[in-house]
Amino acid sequence: MADAFFTCRKNVLLAKSTSTQIEGIFAATRGNSVQEEQEALLQQWLEEGAGNLPASESAPAVGKVSATLTSDWLEGSELLMSSLSDLNSAPEVTWCAGQQLTELCALASSEPQDHAVTKLEKLPAEKTVAVVGSAPWAAVVPQTDHQMVGCAPIGVGGQHEDPAVLAWSLAGGAEMVPTEPPAWPVQDAVQFCPLLEEVPYHEILWRDWEDLSVQPCELEQASKNPPLFEFRVMSYNILAQDLVEQGHDLYIHCHPDILNWDYRLPNILQEIQHWDPDVLCLQEVQENHYWEQLEPAFKKMGFACFYKRRTGRKTDGCAVCFKDSRFQLISVSPIEYFRPGLDVLNRDNVGLVLLLQPLLPECLDLKAVSPLCVANTHVLFNPRRGDIKLAQMALLLAEIDKIAKTPEGSYYPVILCGDLNSVPDSPLYKFIRNGQLSYHGMPAWKVSGQEDFSQQLHSRKLVAPLWPCSLGVTDNCQYVTRCQPKKQDRPAYWPKHAAVVNDPELQPLIPRSSGVIQHGLNLTSVYSHYLPQRGRSEVTTMPMGLGATVDYIFYSAEPVENGRRGGRRLYRDGVLKLLGRLSLLSEDVLLMANGLPNPFCSSDHLCLLASFGLEVSSLREG
């Protein structure tokens, strides 16, 4: 049961948070009971229900119980790794909210009438929330036990469910908690977010594991296919703390405590540990946090890690980690997009490209599997500078082209992860997925599709060539490798790749087109960017309460011959096969959870997770 669904475990933990519960229960009694009674009730609560809490919280003083999350509360984060079934069945926590309240009522009834505890009433279905400051959304109070125990079990079907989903379904067995919530004390000073009772928190943040490996009609055919080297890839923008401090206006909907790094770090680490990826691509990784906390933690999880900080004065960057028990490093190439003197590449974004060799079990010693190229990047945010975004992406694709190209001229399988700050079906997205873009005359703001600046009279437009020949990158997004004809005064070769080509006599050798760029990597997206069952678009981030998709996992596939639909190239799985993915959420669902970040998701982005399989082939003798 250790794999119980991660979000549900968080809800259970927050539902058992002492500070808000204790204040909510005993605030109603302060007007009618003496200090001794308050202390007795509080002591009973702590003796019966705080067995899993840290020692620092075992006996807080009455009148000093805080309604906010504290750093001491974080010491109990090990509860996050306990399953829902463990929480329901453990002897020290088998009591439920209704039993607690019954005991409190019984205790109150045994006292004189003038000191009776206020009668417990049921929480109204519609209760408004006091909004702090000028926050545009209502603050969400962590859900308490009465909201958790009333959750109906979620049906889980299929034979190939994720272990976390299966464990959660098993947790609701014979000892299922009652579906009717018990009565709960209400007092005017304690107000709750008006979430509908039929949509509990753990259902709001539910993310299904979608198994895409084998359809029932393909079982017979699948048995004839070669074995697969299976692995998981996660891409996650974890929100650098420095950027939180610099952009408080973006997070005014959040309680300050959930924005603290000491609160967010355990959540992020346990989310990664739970989903247990074999390859981890992170963006917005703060440098000091990486070296002091993240890398040591990842090494304990079995990862080998590589990091590239943004250039200039930026304090965050990108990291790529992989399980060294499953992959061996062949090469690593950090990329700096900044090029002095080039307006189209004057920003400090970076990327990383790794070539990894999968490690097969000893039982497959006569088998072989292809190397895997993994790329990770965080593209410029500025919605008005699509020219910079395209140039940065061209540099990344040129590096992938160099690293992933085989001696025969084809490509090893490629997985490209990152925060691309571009929405689905934008020109930049289509360029990556379709392999070609005609950009000449296009408004720069249109490249990413983030915002509509069509009303501006003097918007920047893209002009061919997008970058100068001195960059040493062709319009095919490849480094220049063409040999220069022999001359007596120069070597008879051209470098494999050149960051800058300064010789004006050599620059005309770089092929240029009239405003068309392309690449030959054949990449398609893991996600469809639409939730048909909800009739909504998928969301990976929510800046200022507006949902958008800007995070992606692209992977190598085979284009369908003469296959296009609605201007999109059609693909099918090749050597690299998509086996499954963790579903995303829609904007309306995240709004009910108070957006991002929230007490359960400690970044302003959702993590992306996909399972792949690489074909394992037999080694040829001789």
Side-chain angles (χ1 to χ4, degrees):
M1 291 299 179
D3 283 331
F5 190 65
F6 178 78
T7 305
C8 301
R9 290 202 312 274
K10 284 191 173 182
N11 293 337
V12 172
L13 178 61
L14 287 181
K16 296 185 181 296
S17 176
T18 58
S19 56
T20 52
Q21 281 186 341
I22 293 175
E23 178 133 320
I25 290 292
F26 293 98
T29 69
R30 288 173 185 165
N32 298 322
S33 59
V34 296
Q35 182 74 11
E36 291 78 6
E37 292 179 29
Q38 296 179 18
E39 293 177 353
L41 290 172
L42 179 58
Q43 186 62 33
Q44 179 178 351
W45 176 285
L46 293 175
E47 290 175 353
E48 295 179 353
N52 285 334
L53 297 177
S56 59
E57 288 195 5
S58 59
V62 176
K64 295 184 180 181
V65 178
S66 172
T68 62
L69 299 172
T70 65
S71 59
D72 290 338
W73 180 83
L74 294 172
E75 297 176 11
S77 62
E78 64 274 6
L79 287 176
L80 290 176
M81 298 309 296
S82 60
S83 67
L84 185 62
S85 60
D86 294 336
L87 288 174
N88 283 338
S89 60
E92 62 271 18
V93 292
T94 50
W95 48 268
C96 67
Q99 291 172 322
Q100 298 169 29
L101 297 177
T102 301
E103 293 170 3
L104 290 178
C105 290
L107 177 64
S109 63
S110 64
E111 299 294 332
Q113 286 297 321
D114 54 342
H115 298 308
V117 177
T118 304
K119 182 180 181 180
L120 302 178
E121 299 176 355
K122 197 164 187 174
L123 181 68
E126 297 183 358
K127 196 74 174 177
T128 58
V129 176
V131 179
V132 180
S134 59
W137 308 337
V140 171
V141 178
Q143 302 302 290
T144 43
D145 282 351
H146 80 287
Q147 292 160 310
M148 184 270 295
V149 298
C151 303
I154 299 175
V156 180
Q159 298 179 348
H160 304 283
E161 296 291 358
D162 177 68
V165 179
L166 182 60
W168 167 241
S169 67
L170 296 176
E175 297 183 2
M176 180 63 63
V177 289
T179 57
E180 288 296 325
W184 201 252
V186 177
Q187 96 118 4
D188 294 338
V190 181
Q191 296 178 321
F192 293 85
C193 179
L195 290 178
L196 299 178
E197 290 188 3
E198 61 268 20
V199 189
Y201 238 20
H202 75 268
E203 291 186 18
I204 291 175
L205 297 180
W206 181 266
R207 297 181 66 182
D208 293 309
W209 179 257
E210 301 175 2
D211 190 347
L212 308 175
S213 57
V214 178
Q215 300 299 324
C217 60
E218 301 175 358
L219 288 174
E220 182 177 351
Q221 179 182 355
S223 62
K224 302 177 182 179
N225 292 337
L228 297 176
F229 175 85
E230 298 185 14
F231 61 97
R232 281 187 174 188
V233 176
M234 175 182 283
S235 182
Y236 200 178
N237 182 326
I238 62 173
L239 180 58
Q241 191 64 25
D242 282 349
L243 299 181
V244 174
E245 304 300 330
Q246 297 166 16
H248 273 301
D249 290 346
L250 298 175
Y251 311 108
I252 55 179
H253 65 285
C254 300
H255 191 285
D257 287 341
I258 71 170
L259 295 177
N260 291 334
W261 180 244
D262 288 340
Y263 178 90
R264 299 200 301 118
L265 175 62
N267 281 4
I268 292 170
L269 287 177
Q270 296 211 29
E271 186 169 10
I272 293 171
Q273 187 173 25
H274 170 76
W275 291 118
D276 192 26
D278 300 295
V279 178
L280 178 62
C281 296
L282 301 179
Q283 305 88 40
E284 289 194 21
V285 181
Q286 193 164 307
E287 185 176 32
N288 64 318
H289 291 160
Y290 173 80
W291 294 114
E292 297 170 7
Q293 297 170 309
L294 293 171
E295 188 194 37
F298 291 152
K299 285 187 175 180
K300 291 181 179 179
M301 296 182 197
F303 286 105
C305 303
F306 295 87
Y307 177 76
K308 176 59 183 174
R309 183 181 64 85
R310 287 201 287 169
T311 52
R313 298 182 178 180
K314 304 299 189 296
T315 61
D316 68 286
C318 294
V320 176
C321 310
F322 61 89
K323 292 284 184 68
D324 55 14
S325 61
R326 309 221 58 210
F327 295 93
Q328 181 178 356
L329 178 69
I330 299 177
S331 67
V332 56
S333 297
I335 311 168
E336 296 180 357
Y337 298 140
F338 179 79
R339 296 292 189 273
L342 294 185
D343 180 64
V344 75
L345 285 169
N346 63 358
R347 302 303 168 90
D348 295 311
N349 304 81
V350 296
L352 277 168
V353 181
L354 278 66
L355 188 62
L356 304 175
Q357 177 61 56
L359 300 176
L360 295 177
E362 294 181 359
C363 60
L364 297 177
D365 55 349
L366 296 180
K367 303 287 186 177
V369 62
S370 167
L372 175 71
C373 181
V374 176
N376 181 32
T377 191
H378 190 179
V379 171
L380 175 72
F381 167 76
N382 191 339
R384 303 172 186 266
R385 295 304 304 270
D387 52 339
I388 296 179
K389 296 172 190 276
L390 280 177
Q392 291 180 348
M393 185 53 57
L395 271 180
L396 179 67
L397 293 172
E399 194 69 28
I400 295 174
D401 176 90
K402 182 190 74 170
I403 298 297
K405 183 164 287 187
T406 69
E408 295 78 21
S410 58
Y411 292 101
Y412 296 127
V414 174
I415 293 178
L416 193 166
C417 300
D419 180 348
L420 304 186
N421 278 313
S422 302
V423 302
D425 289 328
S426 64
L428 187 142
Y429 175 91
K430 291 179 179 178
F431 168 55
I432 297 173
R433 193 184 182 282
N434 296 341
Q436 182 172 315
L437 176 65
S438 178
Y439 64 85
H440 185 70
M442 180 182 296
W445 60 263
K446 195 173 183 179
V447 169
S448 65
Q450 294 164 281
E451 297 183 42
D452 186 350
F453 296 102
S454 58
Q455 302 302 319
Q456 291 189 348
L457 298 178
H458 305 287
S459 60
R460 181 190 301 263
K461 293 189 176 181
L462 307 187
V463 179
L466 187 58
W467 55 81
C469 295
S470 60
L471 188 61
V473 175
T474 71
D475 282 345
N476 291 329
C477 297
Q478 296 174 317
Y479 289 121
V480 176
T481 58
R482 182 175 175 179
C483 292
Q484 168 70 6
K486 292 185 179 181
K487 289 187 178 181
Q488 295 180 354
D489 57 346
R490 73 173 70 254
Y493 65 87
W494 186 270
K496 288 186 177 180
H497 75 278
V500 178
V501 180
N502 293 317
D503 191 333
E505 295 184 15
L506 302 182
Q507 291 178 8
L509 295 172
I510 303 176
R512 304 312 300 260
S513 66
S514 57
V516 177
I517 55 176
Q518 55 191 359
H519 69 85
L521 296 176
N522 293 327
L523 301 172
T524 189
S525 175
V526 162
Y527 289 91
S528 64
H529 316 305
Y530 189 75
L531 300 167
Q533 67 275 20
R534 295 190 58 84
R536 299 283 192 276
S537 297
E538 294 175 337
V539 165
T540 68
T541 185
M542 287 198 68
M544 299 300 292
L546 300 176
T549 291
V550 297
D551 306 276
Y552 301 93
I553 300 178
F554 290 96
Y555 71 102
S556 295
E558 291 184 0
V560 177
E561 187 176 355
N562 299 323
R564 282 189 174 271
R565 181 183 301 164
R568 285 180 134 210
R569 180 185 293 182
L570 299 181
Y571 289 97
R572 62 171 178 264
D573 282 351
V575 175
L576 183 63
K577 304 181 186 303
L578 178 63
L579 304 181
R581 64 195 175 200
L582 184 63
S583 67
L584 291 169
L585 301 174
S586 60
E587 179 183 88
D588 58 329
V589 167
L590 284 172
L591 282 175
M592 287 192 289
N594 208 34
L596 294 171
N598 57 51
F600 313 98
C601 301
S602 286
S603 174
D604 55 353
H605 293 248
L606 295 175
C607 73
L608 279 61
L609 184 74
S611 177
F612 295 96
L614 264 175
E615 288 186 0
V616 178
S617 59
S618 298
L619 292 175
R620 296 180 180 178
E621 296 182 1

